[in-house]
């Protein structure tokens, strides 16, 4: 039986083990999937190089740090400097970022029009970089939002209201279970009623999402990125709307 797992910190809330077991049952794959809650990048190096695990997903706060332990990376990783999937091929350690495909599908699934829209991405971490990379193919008006102004593509939270964004995306972990009463912004940051997308999926409706009448969580992104990760590990994986709906129903989030 092949073993896979999620590398991160403070990730006990994660639905990934259940999600990957559902995928395994659908495609008749014999596997186990566990959480590796680690406290240092050195522990990750030991895990990856032990070759006891057949593949990993990577989440906060290690999506960028893990890069130095990989032999080869995908074009998406080269553009974003963020990894969420590790696999082995020809005695090499490969890195990919299937969050890209997950976010792309989330936009399509919910019929969200992003063409030439003014969009803000809360956060500057690995997930934010991937979202930015996808959005820039469809609009020139994308800005990161951070506590401090870092470059010309970044504004501070205090300035969100001035821009009247059409879409605001939370790519921070703020509001994730168990801190469900937190939000990276509040009503005072908004001068309109933008579409809100929270990459968080637990809880299903975050405090951030409650700030707008038009909001979406990251569940579809979670499911699709997991399917693409499994596709890197197991060639028998197929991805379509029927399978995604089946997983969503069984996951019951």
């Amino acid at each position: 039986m092949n073993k896979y797992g999620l590398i991160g910190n403070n990730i006990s809330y994660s639905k990934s083990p259940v999600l990957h077991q559902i995928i395994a049952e659908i495609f008749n794959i014999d596997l186990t999937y566990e959480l590796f809650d680690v406290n240092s990048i050195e522990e990750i190096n030991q895990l990856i190089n032990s070759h006891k695990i057949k593949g990993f997903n990577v989440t906060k706060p290690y999506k960028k740090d893990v890069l130095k332990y990989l032999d080869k990376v995908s074009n998406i990783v080269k553009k974003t400097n963020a990894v969420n999937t590790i696999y082995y091929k020809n005695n090499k350690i490969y890195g990919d970022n299937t969050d890209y495909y997950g976010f792309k599908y989330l936009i399509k699934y919910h019929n969200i029009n992003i063409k030439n829209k003014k969009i803000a991405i809360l956060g500057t971490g690995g997930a934010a970089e991937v979202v930015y990379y996808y959005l820039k193919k469809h609009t020139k008006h994308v800005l990161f939002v951070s506590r401090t102004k870092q470059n010309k593509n970044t504004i501070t939270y205090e300035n969100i209201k001035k821009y009247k964004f059409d879409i605001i995306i939370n790519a921070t972990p703020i509001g994730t279970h168990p801190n469900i009463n937190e939000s990276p912004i509040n009503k005072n940051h908004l001068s309109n009623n933008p579409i809100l997308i929270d990459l968080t999926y637990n809880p299903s409706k975050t405090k951030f999402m409650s700030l707008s009448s038009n909001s979406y969580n990251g569940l579809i992104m979670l499911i699709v990125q997991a399917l693409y990760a499994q596709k890197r590990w197991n060639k028998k994986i197929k991805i379509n709307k029927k399978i995604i709906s089946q997983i969503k129903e069984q996951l019951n989030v």
Side-chain angles (χ1 to χ4, degrees):
M1 181 180 292
N2 289 331
K3 293 182 179 181
Y4 301 89
L6 174 66
I7 294 171
N9 186 248
N10 294 324
I11 52 173
S12 59
Y13 67 88
S14 175
K15 297 292 183 183
S16 288
V18 176
L19 172 57
H20 283 275
Q21 287 298 336
I22 291 171
I23 294 172
E25 289 171 10
I26 291 173
F27 293 100
N28 195 27
I29 299 169
D30 193 16
L31 63 78
T32 61
Y33 190 102
E34 60 186 287
L35 300 179
F36 295 97
D37 203 323
V38 301
N39 295 311
S40 69
I41 191 68
E42 289 76 18
E43 290 180 68
I44 296 175
N45 186 28
Q46 293 172 9
L47 275 171
I48 293 172
N49 284 290
S50 71
H51 293 268
K52 293 179 180 179
I53 313 298
K54 294 296 183 180
F56 296 94
N57 290 129
V58 183
T59 189
K60 62 175 180 71
Y62 300 119
K63 289 184 176 183
K64 294 186 178 184
D65 293 338
V66 76
L67 272 165
K68 58 186 171 184
Y69 300 126
L70 307 179
D71 298 312
K72 293 189 176 182
V73 297
S74 67
N75 287 331
I76 294 172
V77 173
K78 289 177 183 177
K79 294 288 185 180
T80 63
N81 289 317
V83 173
N84 87 322
T85 300
I86 294 172
Y87 62 102
Y88 301 89
K89 182 180 176 182
N90 300 326
N91 294 318
K92 300 283 186 182
I93 307 172
Y94 283 72
D96 198 358
N97 200 312
T98 64
D99 281 337
Y100 175 88
Y101 305 104
F103 182 74
K104 178 181 179 180
Y105 203 97
L106 181 153
I107 296 298
K108 179 181 177 182
Y109 185 92
H110 293 300
N111 295 313
I112 300 170
N113 180 16
I114 59 175
K115 189 172 178 60
N116 296 324
K117 299 297 183 182
K118 293 181 180 179
I119 304 176
I121 305 170
L122 309 184
T124 55
E129 293 284 358
V130 171
V131 168
Y132 181 82
Y133 176 56
Y134 175 73
L135 291 175
K136 286 298 287 182
K137 296 181 178 182
H138 302 276
T139 178
K140 296 178 181 178
H141 314 292
V142 187
L143 291 172
F144 293 104
V145 183
S146 180
R147 287 187 292 271
T148 57
K149 184 170 176 60
Q150 300 172 10
N151 52 50
K152 66 178 182 178
N153 295 323
T154 308
I155 63 170
T156 61
Y157 282 89
E158 288 75 16
N159 290 325
I160 293 177
K161 196 171 185 176
K162 298 178 182 178
Y163 286 80
K164 292 187 178 180
F165 290 106
D166 302 301
I167 303 170
I168 300 178
I169 300 163
N170 180 26
T172 78
I174 299 172
T176 303
H177 183 82
N179 302 312
I180 61 174
N181 293 317
E182 297 179 1
S183 173
I185 61 173
N186 56 50
K187 277 288 187 182
N188 294 329
H189 290 96
L190 305 178
S191 57
N192 56 343
N193 188 42
I195 294 172
L196 300 183
I197 303 172
D198 200 328
L199 303 189
T200 292
Y201 59 89
N202 187 6
S204 58
K205 185 166 185 177
T206 61
K207 188 172 182 179
F208 168 78
M209 291 169 61
S210 70
L211 301 178
S212 172
S213 59
N214 195 1
S215 60
Y216 305 91
N217 67 26
L219 181 59
I220 294 300
M221 180 176 173
L222 173 76
I223 293 170
V224 174
Q225 66 81 24
L227 282 166
Y228 272 93
Q230 282 285 349
K231 199 173 181 70
R232 299 291 178 269
W233 304 329
N234 300 286
K235 292 183 178 180
K236 62 172 69 178
I237 297 295
K238 296 179 181 179
I239 303 170
N240 56 51
K241 195 167 186 178
K242 182 180 179 181
I243 288 170
I244 292 165
S245 296
Q246 182 181 350
I247 295 170
K248 184 181 177 184
E249 185 177 339
Q250 290 187 46
L251 198 57
N252 193 29
V253 174

